Amino acid sequence: MKISIDNERELISTILKAYNVKDIEATIVADVITDGDLKGFSTHGLGRFPQYIKSIQAGTIKLEGDYEIEKETESSAMINGNHKFGHYVTVKAMDLAIEKASKNGIGVVGIHDSNHYGIAGYYSDQASVQDMIGIVISNTEPAMAPFGGKKALLGTNPITISIPTDDIHNYICVDMATSITARGKLLESKRKGEPIPEGLALDKDGKPTTDPSEGLEGSILPFGGFKGYALAFMFELLAGPLVSAACGVEVQGTATPDKMCTKGDLLIAIDPEHFAGSMQFKFYVDQFVREIREENGVIPGDREIENMNKFMEEGITVDETLYNQLIEIAEAKDLDITSYFEE
């Protein structure tokens, strides 16, 4: 089955509203999910949607109330997400970071008690389209063993950085986990009944495995050996204790919808106008990109642009298991969603 991007966005929003999600939250969640699928991050796209519905049903995503700002200075803030949708809370947090950066050069916002938020690059892009640098760091529930160990104690702990540019042909963003692959890849392979490639994960005994279920019970390997682990370690602390969130084995709820989410996020917006100047910064950014391209080099973000062009034209493929899950979710609210899909 396939679904167009426009239909996917409308489908998500329609289902969420049927589950009594507020319009603004439903719109943001739908936009973030489709952005993930558009850029080729299927592990954080429509395939994650059933997890959010389970969280609503379990009460770990709260539909009532709102996030709150607990602490605030001219350049920083701490947000309690009050277990609202992570997509909604993080959009609002980055908006606040951007506002502070425009006044002070930099805005830093920490989040705790939020939820899984989909694709991290969506939020760093919020800054880059405002001619600012956007950085997002998060921790997740344990999926990766410490270097030399067997037991998963660290999350896949992603980082994303988006850079503004004046060249409409340039989209500059890195969005990556510190593990060699995202946990969502294993969850997706498990759903599809497919093995994972060799060299991605270990089972609970520390032995290499191609079984996604064994990898989820064991640990995913860090990218780059010790270097990936070291970054994951640092991000665990920056997105955990620094923002009053959990770290290590105390982090839960990013892949277990029946548990309250205890992970944290650190969002940073930097306004180049307060440093070298926005025009000068973007001039040298685009000059550097041209030098890379002259050597046939690839720019972080090129793959996402290719995927966006492809999926805008072809739509998103939905496997049978996911399709049936979506049908079941919709039927629980007396919705017929078959017209959103095509063979």
Side-chain angles (χ1 to χ4, degrees):
M1 304 293 290
K2 283 201 170 185
I3 186 170
S4 70
I5 290 299
D6 287 341
N7 279 358
E8 178 180 335
R9 186 179 288 107
E10 184 178 346
L11 168 72
I12 295 166
S13 181
T14 298
I15 291 177
L16 288 175
K17 290 175 184 178
Y19 276 81
N20 297 319
V21 176
K22 296 174 184 177
D23 286 1
I24 184 173
E25 295 181 48
T27 298
I28 289 174
V29 173
D31 204 41
V32 177
I33 290 176
T34 52
D35 189 58
D37 275 326
L38 261 177
K39 291 175 179 173
F41 292 88
S42 60
T43 56
H44 290 64
L46 190 58
R48 279 284 180 131
F49 185 60
Q51 172 182 324
Y52 305 139
I53 298 299
K54 290 178 181 177
S55 293
I56 292 173
Q57 294 169 333
T60 54
I61 288 180
K62 301 295 185 181
L63 302 185
E64 301 301 322
D66 208 343
Y67 70 92
E68 60 182 308
I69 300 174
E70 293 181 328
K71 296 180 180 180
E72 188 171 16
T73 70
E74 290 186 352
S75 59
S76 68
M78 177 84 84
I79 285 180
N80 183 334
N82 286 324
H83 299 289
K84 301 291 291 178
F85 269 101
H87 317 70
Y88 166 70
V89 174
T90 313
V91 161
K92 295 301 183 180
M94 183 54 87
D95 282 342
L96 182 58
I98 291 168
E99 179 184 338
K100 291 181 179 298
S102 68
K103 297 176 181 177
N104 305 294
I106 189 168
V108 184
V109 178
I111 306 173
H112 64 91
D113 289 334
S114 182
N115 267 295
H116 189 274
Y117 59 39
I119 178 176
Y122 183 92
Y123 312 104
S124 57
D125 286 353
Q126 280 181 252
S128 64
V129 299
Q130 297 289 329
D131 284 340
M132 296 188 192
I133 298 165
I135 304 171
V136 179
I137 298 169
S138 301
N139 66 358
T140 72
E141 60 192 89
M144 187 163 61
F147 194 77
K150 296 180 181 179
K151 181 180 178 181
L153 297 177
L154 301 94
T156 53
N157 299 0
I159 181 171
T160 178
I161 304 173
S162 295
I163 302 291
T165 171
D166 268 339
D167 190 329
I168 61 173
H169 301 291
N170 293 336
Y171 167 67
I172 307 174
C173 176
V174 60
D175 184 353
M176 53 176 270
T178 46
S179 53
I180 199 168
T181 188
R183 186 203 312 266
K185 177 63 177 177
L186 274 67
L187 293 170
E188 184 177 54
S189 296
K190 180 181 178 180
R191 186 186 74 233
K192 294 180 177 180
E194 299 173 349
I196 56 174
E198 295 181 356
L200 297 188
L202 306 176
D203 65 18
K204 61 183 180 181
D205 296 318
K207 298 178 180 178
T209 182
T210 58
D211 185 327
S213 295
E214 290 183 354
L216 289 167
E217 292 178 0
S219 67
I220 305 171
L221 293 169
F223 84 86
F226 180 81
K227 292 181 179 180
Y229 158 68
L231 286 175
F233 180 96
M234 295 301 181
F235 295 166
E236 191 78 43
L237 301 178
L238 292 175
L242 181 64
V243 299
S244 293
C247 71
V249 295
E250 299 300 319
V251 183
Q252 61 182 24
T254 59
T256 46
D258 59 325
K259 296 180 179 180
M260 283 293 187
C261 189
T262 58
K263 64 103 170 181
D265 311 297
L266 185 67
L267 283 61
I268 304 169
I270 303 172
D271 187 352
E273 189 61 35
H274 291 255
F275 294 87
S278 182
M279 290 183 63
Q280 179 175 312
F281 175 70
K282 290 187 291 181
F283 173 83
Y284 284 111
V285 166
D286 291 329
Q287 178 177 283
F288 183 54
V289 170
R290 286 194 296 273
E291 292 173 355
I292 297 294
R293 294 203 191 284
E294 286 172 1
E295 290 297 316
N296 295 316
V298 177
I299 303 303
D302 281 354
R303 183 176 64 176
E304 285 82 350
I305 292 298
E306 291 177 5
N307 286 332
M308 290 175 75
N309 292 333
K310 173 184 177 182
F311 294 130
M312 280 297 293
E313 180 178 348
E314 299 178 3
I316 301 298
T317 299
V318 179
D319 62 81
E320 184 177 358
T321 300
L322 177 56
Y323 176 76
N324 290 334
Q325 289 175 346
L326 295 171
I327 293 295
E328 183 179 349
I329 287 168
E331 287 181 345
K333 295 296 180 181
D334 296 322
L335 295 176
D336 181 0
I337 60 171
T338 54
S339 62
Y340 287 97
F341 301 88
E342 58 184 31
E343 296 287 346

